[in-house]
Amino acid sequence: GIDDLAVLRSGKIYIDANGNRTLDINDLVVEFDETKGLPVLGDWSGEGISRVAAFNSSDHDRLTVASHQETE
């Protein structure tokens, strides 16, 4: 598969969902609560859909996948 490029800035994750390496109207912007951990974008289920997750090293290295925040 092809990885999505994402940037975290001021509590928002900007995801280059269409892969053109430019932020435009076809891309995704996801609100992210940085107090939950570090944001990580990945295909956690192996079905070709990237989802935003939070990695929290103080919570025994737990990875929590957010719901309804996907990009193909």
Side-chain angles (χ1 to χ4, degrees):
I2 298 172
D3 292 330
D4 294 318
L5 178 68
V7 175
L8 172 66
R9 182 174 293 153
S10 300
K12 293 183 182 180
I13 302 172
Y14 299 88
I15 303 169
D16 182 24
N18 59 9
N20 67 354
R21 303 297 185 229
T22 302
L23 288 174
D24 55 38
I25 191 123
N26 297 310
D27 294 324
L28 299 174
V29 179
V30 177
E31 297 283 334
F32 186 81
D33 182 359
E34 294 178 68
T35 63
K36 304 259 185 212
L38 297 172
V40 185
L41 185 66
D43 179 7
W44 311 116
S45 61
E47 55 191 20
I49 299 172
S50 295
R51 291 183 174 85
V52 176
F55 175 77
N56 189 337
S57 62
S58 66
D59 191 16
H60 305 291
D61 296 333
R62 175 180 246 165
L63 186 67
T64 305
V65 179
S67 60
H68 307 295
Q69 297 173 2
E70 310 175 339
T71 178
E72 294 184 27

